[in-house]
Amino acid sequence: MPMSSVAVRPRLCQGVLIVEDEPDIRESLKQMLEFEGYRVWVAPDGAKGLEVLKQKDRPCLVLLDLMMPVMDGWAFAEVLNADSNLSRNPVVVVTAFADTARGLGAQRIIRKPFEMSEILSVVDRFCGKEAAAYVH
Amino acid sequence: MFTEHVGEVLGEVANSRNSAHLAGVARLVQAVQDLSLARNLAAVVDVTRHAARDLVGAEGSTFVLRDQDQCYYVDEDAIEPLWKGKRFPLESCVSGWAMLNREPVVIEDVYADERVPTAAYRPTFVKSLVMVPIRTESPIGAIGNYWAQEHRAEAWEVALLQSLAHSTSVALENVQLYADLQGALRASESVAQELSRQLALRDDFISVAAHELRTPLTPLLIQAQFLERLSATEGFDPDRLRSELRRSSEVSRRQVSALSHLVNDLLDVSRLQLGKFRFDFAEGDLATAVVDTVDSVRTLSVAPIRLKVEGEFVGRWDIPRMKQMLRHLLLNAITYGESKPIDVELDVVDGRARLSVQDAGIGVAPEDQERIFQRFERASSIKRFGGMGVGLYLARAVVEGHGGSLGLRSALGEGATFVAKLPIRPALAS
């Protein structure tokens, strides 16, 4: 089960991984989240995203686009769900194809174009002050 | 004319108590009914040739159709073979006489009548005959009845036969109408099928186009909201503020430009469909246009784009259209190139400019290589790759508008190379 309990999340998670192939969406999100004080990793496709998640120092939340070259979001989620270590990472799908995102095991589905407040509140919940309250 | 009296004679026949007359009328009624069900020429011929012989108890019957200036003996029903499959000149046979004179022929002795080509009758059993035209206004054929013994056909026999010929004529017209109707139905069905295929393609395109138009809105919206937050933040370091603002304005400008390209492409697709895709040729340098275009898409590509230019390319070009063409080839290479390096080369081969864009990505299967140049077509799933499916369609139109050709060399999994060959001074522009 991906993140059914916040208590199992690693203690020092203060960052977000953005897996998005469109450079300006990726960089704008990064700019915004960094401005809000989060640490941000970026990956242009699912395969690069998995590499980031396998690092020791890794993010605690994935913002995942679906339609991408090399490895798309559906394939990325499949690998994640099959790996008990990786599946503990909460995933929020950010897509224009919200209808096709069900069944991916995502914590949330956000439809593009989105209100930034929606992204910020979900990031805050998993990585921010709100989340920190649950981390012992 | 005899045919005008057919009704009168038939009336007398029907009222008579002569069993041969009544059997003839009954057979005629049966034939009329059968003819009404006939849906093709073969069925009409079949009903007619048997009924003709039965009506008056003749020893043979023939079904003749007029084929321009010939009489074509289509079929027969006789005790011995007559002329099935043969053709005779209209002017020199009895069926021809009946058609040309638009009235029945009654001949008691075929060897004593100058209208009869006796050579044709000598190998047959025929001694006497009756011939009636099919359709009295400009006849299209004739029905013949034959006897081996000398027989003078009576008015009732001729009337029955002529009446059968009228019904045959109506049946033939029905067959034609039916065939026309079937043809029209088939045509309308295939038009409807093509129309629904086009509509489905267009529906897909509209949803894809809507998605493509919405894509630039996401970073624009993020930037607008970012600027709002930025403006609400006090005491910001001026250097950092400047750098954040510069990043914002760069993203916004790029996305507005992307939106404007998308809208122009949509309009161009419509112009191409309407035959209003115009070119504006002027003196210019293709090499500069290629360098500029490659630079303008670099930020969109994760992979490096390597550019090699060799030669002089000052000529007559529609430079904005050439940029549009190359931009589409590059976007295609970025989309399907799997983030591997892209090579752009411009050189001169046989006095023509050769522009090639090579990626090392997923490639195109042979069966898709022509199709992808068509409007709204794509070789890969929309789930993995965006795009409206019009880039290569527009690129080819631009190259062909310059009198050149745009081709593709590719195999699945082995990347793709698009090559445009262009006359440096197109003949059509001079």
Side-chain angles (χ1 to χ4, degrees):
Chain A
M1 271 296 285
M3 285 316 291
S4 54
S5 157
V6 278
V8 297
R9 190 169 46 243
R11 271 188 78 163
L12 298 170
C13 64
Q14 282 298 314
V16 184
L17 166 63
I18 302 166
V19 188
E20 163 69 64
D21 66 323
E22 170 57 41
D24 278 342
I25 297 180
R26 194 170 62 228
E27 295 308 316
S28 296
L29 271 173
K30 180 172 189 274
Q31 187 183 11
M32 184 80 163
L33 291 171
E34 282 177 345
F35 178 77
E36 294 294 326
Y38 294 100
R39 188 168 168 203
V40 178
W41 285 262
V42 289
D45 58 63
K48 293 260 166 37
L50 285 177
E51 284 174 23
V52 173
L53 289 185
K54 284 171 185 165
Q55 291 166 10
K56 199 175 170 198
D57 182 22
R58 64 187 203 185
C60 64
L61 173 68
V62 181
L63 294 181
L64 178 68
D65 179 29
L66 290 182
M67 204 174 80
M68 286 180 296
V70 188
M71 178 190 265
D72 61 31
W74 291 276
F76 176 88
E78 207 172 298
V79 174
L80 228 60
N81 290 333
D83 186 321
S84 58
N85 194 30
L86 296 179
S87 66
R88 292 193 299 171
N89 257 94
V91 172
V92 170
V93 170
V94 184
T95 179
F97 292 92
D99 304 344
T100 63
R102 282 185 214 102
L104 288 181
Q107 300 290 318
R108 267 295 282 284
I109 298 163
I110 295 176
R111 185 187 283 273
K112 285 181 187 169
F114 44 77
E115 285 295 320
M116 208 50 226
S117 55
E118 204 177 351
I119 297 278
L120 290 176
S121 92
V122 82
V123 171
D124 188 43
R125 190 177 141 218
F126 288 103
C127 307
K129 295 174 222 81
E130 200 183 321
Y134 292 90
V135 181
H136 30 254
Chain B
M1 190 181 274
F2 175 80
T3 50
E4 288 161 13
H5 305 297
V6 168
E8 208 175 300
V9 178
L10 271 184
E12 286 170 21
V13 170
N15 287 326
S16 81
R17 290 172 183 276
N18 182 314
S19 63
H21 292 187
L22 292 176
V25 171
R27 186 67 183 85
L28 178 64
V29 169
Q30 177 65 46
V32 168
Q33 197 174 347
D34 292 347
L35 283 171
S36 74
L37 300 174
R39 287 287 171 264
N40 54 52
L41 180 63
V44 172
V45 171
D46 206 46
V47 170
T48 305
R49 73 192 171 107
H50 292 309
R53 198 179 153 190
D54 295 349
L55 280 181
V56 292
E59 270 116 17
S61 73
T62 54
F63 187 102
V64 188
L65 281 178
R66 181 173 176 169
D67 184 6
Q68 292 175 345
D69 57 355
Q70 290 194 316
C71 298
Y72 173 43
Y73 282 70
V74 179
D75 211 345
E76 63 199 20
D77 177 14
I79 52 170
E80 283 173 23
L82 290 167
W83 308 280
K84 182 177 173 176
K86 290 196 174 151
R87 286 165 197 275
F88 299 98
L90 206 57
E91 305 288 344
S92 61
C93 68
V94 183
S95 58
W97 193 96
M99 285 187 242
L100 290 171
N101 293 280
R102 300 190 289 134
E103 61 177 276
V105 185
V106 177
I107 296 173
E108 205 174 333
D109 179 358
V110 293
Y111 299 104
D113 195 299
E114 59 181 19
R115 291 171 295 189
V116 179
T118 46
Y121 279 74
R122 229 172 282 284
T124 71
F125 65 86
V126 176
K127 176 70 173 174
S128 306
L129 67 83
V130 178
M131 184 70 73
V132 295
I134 299 174
R135 201 167 80 177
T136 42
E137 291 300 319
S138 60
I140 50 170
I143 301 168
N145 262 7
Y146 309 88
W147 288 266
Q149 302 300 321
E150 196 161 299
H151 174 84
R152 174 149 195 93
E154 292 175 38
W156 69 272
E157 292 176 304
V158 180
L160 281 179
L161 205 59
Q162 186 63 67
S163 188
L164 174 67
H166 288 332
S167 297
T168 301
S169 160
V170 171
L172 285 173
E173 276 171 28
N174 284 343
V175 163
Q176 187 58 48
L177 285 175
Y178 188 73
D180 289 351
L181 192 67
Q182 290 291 97
L185 267 176
R186 271 195 298 275
S188 72
E189 270 167 17
S190 78
V191 165
Q193 266 170 11
E194 178 56 20
L195 213 61
S196 84
R197 200 187 78 85
Q198 293 283 343
L199 281 175
L201 213 54
R202 173 161 295 197
D203 284 350
D204 286 351
F205 170 72
I206 288 171
S207 75
V208 169
H211 173 256
E212 288 296 309
L213 288 168
R214 206 161 50 183
T215 301
L217 295 181
T218 303
L220 280 172
L221 195 58
I222 301 172
Q223 289 305 333
Q225 294 171 91
F226 178 62
L227 290 176
E228 275 169 28
R229 288 181 97 87
L230 207 57
S231 66
T233 310
E234 303 269 343
F236 217 72
D237 168 48
D239 283 345
R240 192 177 164 203
L241 181 65
R242 259 194 295 279
S243 127
E244 298 285 4
L245 287 175
R246 194 170 48 245
R247 279 169 76 183
S248 274
S249 69
E250 278 168 11
V251 168
S252 303
R253 210 172 42 206
R254 252 197 315 273
Q255 293 306 321
V256 169
S257 150
L259 263 177
S260 135
H261 281 302
L262 281 171
V263 172
N264 282 338
D265 287 344
L266 281 173
L267 288 173
D268 277 338
V269 168
S270 154
R271 287 186 188 113
L272 257 174
Q273 287 301 107
L274 297 170
K276 290 180 179 169
F277 193 65
R278 306 255 182 267
F279 291 90
D280 189 6
F281 290 94
E283 202 70 7
D285 185 0
L286 180 63
T288 312
V290 167
V291 172
D292 289 351
T293 310
V294 169
D295 284 343
S296 76
V297 301
R298 276 190 205 283
T299 51
L300 306 176
S301 177
V302 180
I305 303 178
R306 301 182 292 223
L307 172 63
K308 198 166 112 188
V309 178
E310 259 174 48
E312 288 296 316
F313 301 93
V314 175
R316 285 190 72 74
W317 310 101
D318 183 331
I319 291 292
R321 287 268 183 241
M322 292 314 282
K323 285 182 170 177
Q324 178 187 28
M325 179 271 291
L326 178 57
R327 182 182 159 83
H328 279 301
L329 295 185
L330 287 166
L331 290 178
N332 206 65
I334 292 168
T335 306
Y336 300 104
E338 292 192 300
S339 308
K340 294 173 189 162
I342 295 165
D343 286 292
V344 181
E345 272 187 52
L346 177 63
D347 56 7
V348 181
V349 176
D350 300 332
R352 286 154 75 91
R354 184 180 64 179
L355 176 62
S356 69
V357 176
Q358 181 175 11
D359 69 60
I362 62 169
V364 185
E367 63 270 22
D368 293 327
Q369 292 188 4
E370 200 39 51
R371 188 171 63 83
I372 56 170
F373 286 100
Q374 289 163 23
R375 191 173 56 130
F376 307 154
E377 293 284 2
R378 60 177 67 245
S380 320
S381 158
I382 184 68
K383 276 188 178 181
R384 285 183 68 190
F385 304 101
M388 294 195 289
V390 299
L392 294 174
Y393 172 68
L394 290 173
R396 180 171 267 184
V398 170
V399 171
E400 288 177 353
H402 280 74
S405 63
L406 177 61
L408 164 63
R409 282 199 314 270
S410 182
L412 260 189
E414 292 176 20
T417 306
F418 288 88
V419 182
K421 292 178 183 162
L422 296 148
I424 294 176
R425 292 188 181 275
L428 59 155
S430 55

